Amino acid sequence: MSPTTALSTSSSLTTLFPFSSSTTKSKPTNFTQFPFRFSPKNPTLNLTSSTARSAVSIEKEVLETERPDTFLRESDDDDKEPSSTSSVRARFEKMIRDAQDSVCQAIEAVDGGGKFKEDVWSRPGGGGGISRVLQDGAVWEKAGVNVSVVYGVMPPEAYRAAKAAATDQKPGPIPFFAAGISSVLHPKNPFAPTLHFNYRYFETDAPKDIPGAPRQWWFGGGTDFTPAYIFEEDVKHFHSTQKKACDKFDPTFYPRFKKWCDDYFYIKHRNERRGLGGIFFDDLNDYDQEMLLSFASECANSVVPAYIPIIEKRKDTPFTEQNKAWQQLRRGRYVEFNLVYDRGTTFGLKTGGRIESILVSLPLSARWEYDHKPEEGSEEWKLLDACINPKEWI
């Protein structure tokens, strides 16, 4: 594949950006979070149309009838030395595929009848993914759990934006590898919370015109909790599970990543957060690679125990039309954040990605009312207050 190949609007932004895939209807949906870290001063890259068309060079997907054992290229999969980069790739892929299976099994078990629709796809030069969506179930309005493994080439503009830090170097096109799992789970019952999680691993090879430059790698991800109503025992359970996962590796992780989550999911024009937080991190490479691989695995494996017991407890709670209307208003905030501020979503929208795939994270229903203000002291007001003034739940 030529590093100078331009990506047309009919090609695919698949798996680099959240919920981005090809324009062909037969191609699968893909949820994986855009793995680059954008500069806070330039969160949507502000690419020109010519830059956008050449943002990423990757091959077109091919639908498969069976899941392969691995989406890695043979050269990666054959290298099994524990310390090798290829081994990290292989183990991260196994982790995200195992996590996808365990989360989907738990989601279907809670629903009691709904089944995920699955698409498996690959690329001739290596890479691929598995996209799963359950919609209009007994418990779930929409649930998506997707994994992907991607090889491609970034032009210099995308690389400089991805790394955020200013540099005087002018690298040529840069090969990259990205793998991740991402999920958004929207239940029907307004007393049952929405959940989003994403864990990803990213590498760039040395720029072609800088001999001897090191290969770079980093991890990113997080799990966040978005209820319409506060049940304090639920919020404490969720945050305690995140803290337990973090504390196994570094006692500073939870407070650091909890604040990062509160800051990231901030809806500036509303002066409030999307939900009640969790953990979020990006560009993480200042620790041992093996430790961070284990940390990402622990976080992904904590999703089911953090979330499913809450859904089991709340999914059959009786509710009123007023409760449902409030849930839809809060889902309106979810839509606003994703369309206005989410780095990957806005990048996909600006670069001609497949609109249905970019927006698949959104709920089936949402609501906006003119100048809506919940009555002070009400349960709805308590949720809004917690979104405006983030709390320490544990």
Side-chain angles (χ1 to χ4, degrees):
M1 178 175 56
S2 167
T4 58
T5 301
L7 177 70
S8 70
T9 55
S10 63
S11 297
S12 173
L13 296 174
T14 312
T15 72
L16 300 180
F17 323 113
F19 323 117
S20 161
S21 186
S22 73
T23 56
T24 306
K25 288 184 179 179
S26 62
K27 296 298 186 288
T29 303
N30 189 320
F31 267 53
T32 302
Q33 173 74 27
F34 177 54
F36 310 148
R37 182 180 187 277
F38 293 82
S39 165
K41 296 180 180 178
N42 189 18
T44 60
L45 299 186
N46 295 323
L47 297 177
T48 63
S49 59
S50 61
T51 302
R53 284 194 297 271
S54 62
V56 181
S57 176
I58 53 179
E59 294 176 306
K60 207 168 187 178
E61 305 107 333
V62 176
L63 285 174
E64 303 287 351
T65 57
E66 295 182 356
R67 300 174 210 154
D69 291 335
T70 181
F71 291 107
L72 294 176
R73 290 172 175 167
E74 263 186 60
S75 58
D76 286 348
D77 198 33
D78 288 345
D79 189 350
K80 298 298 184 182
E81 287 301 316
S83 61
S84 72
T85 300
S86 298
S87 176
V88 173
R89 294 181 180 187
R91 285 179 290 148
F92 192 85
E93 183 198 18
K94 182 180 187 306
M95 183 277 284
I96 61 177
R97 290 182 65 170
D98 289 348
Q100 183 187 42
D101 288 343
S102 65
V103 171
C104 288
Q105 288 167 9
I107 293 301
E108 288 184 346
V110 169
D111 197 81
K115 297 295 180 183
F116 280 92
K117 179 185 183 300
E118 177 179 281
D119 287 316
V120 180
W121 53 273
S122 67
R123 293 199 175 93
I130 302 170
S131 303
R132 295 177 185 167
V133 178
L134 188 160
Q135 186 167 292
D136 263 334
V139 171
W140 307 101
E141 179 180 290
K142 186 191 285 186
V145 190
N146 291 8
V147 299
S148 61
V149 173
V150 177
Y151 298 84
V153 177
M154 287 190 295
E157 296 88 347
Y159 179 75
R160 284 193 291 269
K163 288 307 296 172
T167 175
D168 294 330
Q169 296 176 335
K170 296 182 180 180
I174 300 163
F176 70 87
F177 168 87
I181 180 170
S182 189
S183 176
V184 177
L185 308 172
H186 292 296
K188 289 184 171 180
N189 193 300
F191 293 111
T194 286
L195 187 85
H196 161 258
F197 72 90
N198 170 277
Y199 292 97
R200 56 198 179 273
Y201 174 67
F202 185 74
E203 289 180 10
T204 60
D205 287 339
K208 294 183 181 301
D209 55 354
I210 306 180
R215 171 180 284 181
Q216 300 195 45
W217 57 265
W218 61 89
F219 291 86
T223 304
D224 61 281
F225 187 70
T226 309
Y229 288 92
I230 295 177
F231 294 92
E232 194 158 325
E233 65 269 30
D234 294 354
V235 187
K236 287 182 176 180
H237 168 77
F238 173 79
H239 278 274
S240 294
T241 307
Q242 306 313 304
K243 185 178 186 299
K244 182 179 178 181
C246 290
D247 285 353
K248 289 182 179 181
F249 299 88
D250 190 317
T252 68
F253 275 4
Y254 174 74
R256 175 183 168 193
F257 298 156
K258 193 265 186 189
K259 183 179 187 307
W260 202 339
C261 187
D262 288 338
D263 291 345
Y264 178 75
F265 292 104
Y266 178 63
I267 308 172
K268 186 176 181 181
H269 62 270
R270 297 284 190 181
N271 190 31
E272 63 189 68
R273 277 75 187 167
R274 187 174 77 177
L276 300 186
I279 58 172
F280 177 87
F281 57 91
D282 207 353
D283 246 0
L284 204 60
N285 62 2
D286 51 352
Y287 296 83
D288 177 75
Q289 191 177 37
E290 288 293 321
M291 182 267 233
L292 292 178
L293 174 61
S294 296
F295 173 59
S297 302
E298 183 71 25
C299 290
N301 292 334
S302 74
V303 168
V304 169
Y307 183 56
I308 295 301
I310 297 171
I311 295 299
E312 291 277 17
K313 192 188 303 183
R314 306 301 173 191
K315 64 185 176 67
D316 298 317
T317 304
F319 60 88
T320 66
E321 289 184 10
Q322 179 184 344
N323 299 141
K324 189 66 180 177
W326 174 248
Q327 179 197 47
Q328 290 178 314
L329 283 167
R330 293 311 305 173
R331 287 194 170 159
R333 299 294 202 269
Y334 203 96
V335 171
E336 290 175 30
F337 177 84
N338 279 28
L339 296 184
V340 178
Y341 299 109
D342 186 74
R343 295 166 183 166
T345 302
T346 53
F347 187 94
L349 291 173
K350 287 176 179 291
T351 53
R354 180 174 180 261
I355 194 70
E356 290 299 324
S357 296
I358 294 170
L359 302 183
V360 77
S361 68
L362 304 182
L364 291 184
S365 60
R367 182 184 182 98
W368 285 265
E369 292 182 16
Y370 180 75
D371 197 27
H372 181 274
K373 293 184 176 66
E375 180 181 351
E376 187 168 349
S378 67
E379 294 304 311
E380 292 81 6
W381 179 88
K382 291 176 184 176
L383 184 281
L384 181 59
D385 180 65
C387 291
I388 294 172
N389 304 294
K391 302 180 185 298
E392 297 302 322
W393 296 98
I394 53 176

